[in-house]
Amino acid sequence: SSFFSLYHLDYRAAYYVSKMSAAADEADEICAACGIPACDDITLKLCTACKSVRYCGIECQRKHRSQHKRACKKRAAELRDEILFRQPEGTHFGDCPICFIPISTGTDEDGNMNTAAHYPCCSKMICNGCIYESALQNTEEKCPFCRTPFQEGTDTERMVKKREAANDPFAIRGVAGRCWKEGNFSECFKYMNQAAKGGDMEAHQQLGHMYLQGEGVEEDMKKAFYHWEEAAIGGHPIARMSLGVIEGDYGRHDRQIKHFIIAANQGWGVAVEQLKMCYEEGHVSKHDFGEALRAYQRAVDATKSPQREAAKRNPELLNVRNRRHDEY
């Protein structure tokens, strides 16, 4: 019986300790301005910028603004950097929906992507390896993913219009691209902004350049940075490189190196070349440079497959299959 009595005492002690701990946590949840604690009738809301203090209402938040402004701005910048310099799981291209292998970031001499194609029927990015295999198995031209047959002329245009009506971000960016080619930069900005709000990282990347060059909108370096950061967070290596180059121009080499290393880890070859230059200038250590090289090679190897290698050896078949999707 003595054993059970001791056990009962230990259990009650642990219970009261947990209750005291919970009370202490609740005591910490007080309004930063008036000091009122959270209770059933009062719900405290976090400061949306720094997420470190709470307020019982808008009035208290306004009164406390002058005292909190500097600390809030500093903490908000720290939280932004935590997100910005977090290694993305992959690039903004993602994985091929058929083979589930990451889509390579390779481009041709003109800077156009040459490792995958986007199909307007299902709005899927399909890698060249799966397009090649589909072409070998089917004489009739069909989408490798949804098997929709393609016809000459208006069929593709009809699919594109359907995706635009559904507010597909990729299709909306296609509209923006056509406006840009026509020289209508204001309309281009409108549609590009719409695509960015829909989650298209390439649209964020393009908006950054539009704000930088003042095309269709007033020049604004702060907004250009914002859109490049959004694209980089979403896995866009070119946007990441743009940030790195500008950080280097400002002399912030520690931030520059972080951007280049993240881009190299995504398999972006230009980042490796930039890191090599930074290494020669003494801005990056030999260890970090070596780690980035190995990470780059792992990322490149992860995008390889026998089907994709075969597609490289037979580009003429891909040129026929992809010719109707280049302008989409």
Side-chain angles (χ1 to χ4, degrees):
S1 61
S2 59
F3 171 79
F4 287 107
S5 298
L6 291 172
Y7 176 80
H8 183 66
L9 288 173
D10 290 341
Y11 176 79
R12 292 188 64 185
Y15 172 78
Y16 285 118
V17 167
S18 65
K19 292 288 286 182
M20 292 171 65
S21 178
D25 291 339
E26 290 181 3
D28 289 338
E29 293 187 6
I30 61 173
C31 176
C34 65
I36 190 170
C39 62
D40 295 338
D41 298 331
I42 300 175
T43 302
L44 302 182
K45 295 183 178 180
L46 276 171
C47 173
T48 55
C50 68
K51 303 186 187 304
S52 59
V53 296
R54 299 173 184 270
Y55 296 102
C56 61
I58 297 296
E59 289 300 322
C60 280
Q61 188 171 8
R62 288 174 180 171
K63 290 178 182 178
H64 195 245
R65 180 62 180 166
S66 59
Q67 304 175 43
H68 178 58
K69 184 176 180 179
R70 181 176 296 180
C72 180
K73 188 175 181 179
K74 180 181 178 181
R75 181 54 184 158
E78 291 173 354
L79 290 174
R80 180 68 172 178
D81 280 353
E82 287 178 11
I83 299 172
L84 178 62
F85 292 113
R86 188 182 301 154
Q87 182 69 48
E89 294 182 2
T91 68
H92 62 300
F93 294 130
D95 298 343
C96 173
I98 298 176
C99 64
F100 301 106
I101 297 175
I103 294 176
S104 173
T105 57
T107 56
D108 58 21
E109 295 179 354
D110 298 324
N112 299 315
M113 185 179 181
N114 62 356
T115 60
H118 197 284
Y119 283 76
C121 49
C122 54
S123 195
K124 298 293 184 183
M125 183 79 77
I126 312 297
C127 76
N128 283 354
C130 291
I131 297 171
Y132 175 76
E133 281 296 311
S134 176
L136 291 180
Q137 297 173 16
N138 299 281
T139 55
E140 182 183 2
E141 186 173 354
K142 294 181 178 180
C143 171
F145 184 77
C146 67
R147 317 307 295 169
T148 299
F150 281 87
Q151 300 175 2
E152 293 288 348
T154 59
D155 196 47
T156 301
E157 295 179 9
R158 177 182 59 79
M159 293 178 181
V160 171
K161 292 293 183 182
K162 185 177 180 180
R163 301 308 305 178
E164 291 172 5
N167 286 324
D168 181 274
F170 193 98
I172 298 298
R173 177 159 55 85
V175 177
R178 291 194 292 273
C179 292
W180 184 85
K181 289 180 180 179
E182 295 168 359
N184 191 348
F185 297 121
S186 59
E187 283 295 299
C188 174
F189 174 80
K190 170 187 171 183
Y191 286 110
M192 200 69 76
N193 196 45
Q194 183 179 344
K197 289 180 179 178
D200 188 87
M201 295 302 110
E202 181 62 30
H204 278 296
Q205 154 72 3
Q206 296 298 333
L207 281 172
H209 283 286
M210 293 185 76
Y211 274 112
L212 178 68
Q213 302 294 337
E215 295 178 339
V217 67
E218 292 184 6
E219 292 184 22
D220 192 324
M221 197 62 186
K222 185 176 180 180
K223 290 184 178 179
F225 249 86
Y226 167 77
H227 284 289
W228 282 332
E229 286 181 354
E230 288 296 303
I233 291 168
H236 202 300
I238 300 178
R240 179 76 64 179
M241 291 299 300
S242 298
L243 291 171
V245 170
I246 295 175
E247 293 286 11
D249 292 341
Y250 288 158
R252 299 192 287 256
H253 296 293
D254 56 334
R255 298 174 66 85
Q256 177 191 35
I257 298 305
K258 287 180 181 179
H259 284 303
F260 289 165
I261 288 177
I262 291 174
N265 290 349
Q266 293 177 289
W268 191 246
V270 180
V272 175
E273 297 174 7
Q274 291 292 326
L275 280 172
K276 182 179 179 181
M277 294 173 58
C278 292
Y279 172 68
E280 292 172 351
E281 295 171 359
H283 299 311
V284 60
S285 67
K286 182 177 180 179
H287 174 268
D288 290 341
F289 182 45
E291 286 293 320
L293 284 175
R294 286 186 284 272
Y296 164 75
Q297 193 58 53
R298 286 194 298 270
V300 171
D301 291 342
T303 64
K304 293 181 178 180
S305 72
Q307 292 80 10
R308 294 183 182 183
E309 295 302 314
K312 288 181 182 179
R313 296 191 297 268
N314 299 275
E316 65 284 348
L317 184 60
L318 292 175
N319 291 337
V320 172
R321 290 283 168 153
N322 294 346
R323 69 181 185 276
R324 299 194 188 101
H325 314 300
D326 293 339
E327 297 299 324
Y328 171 57

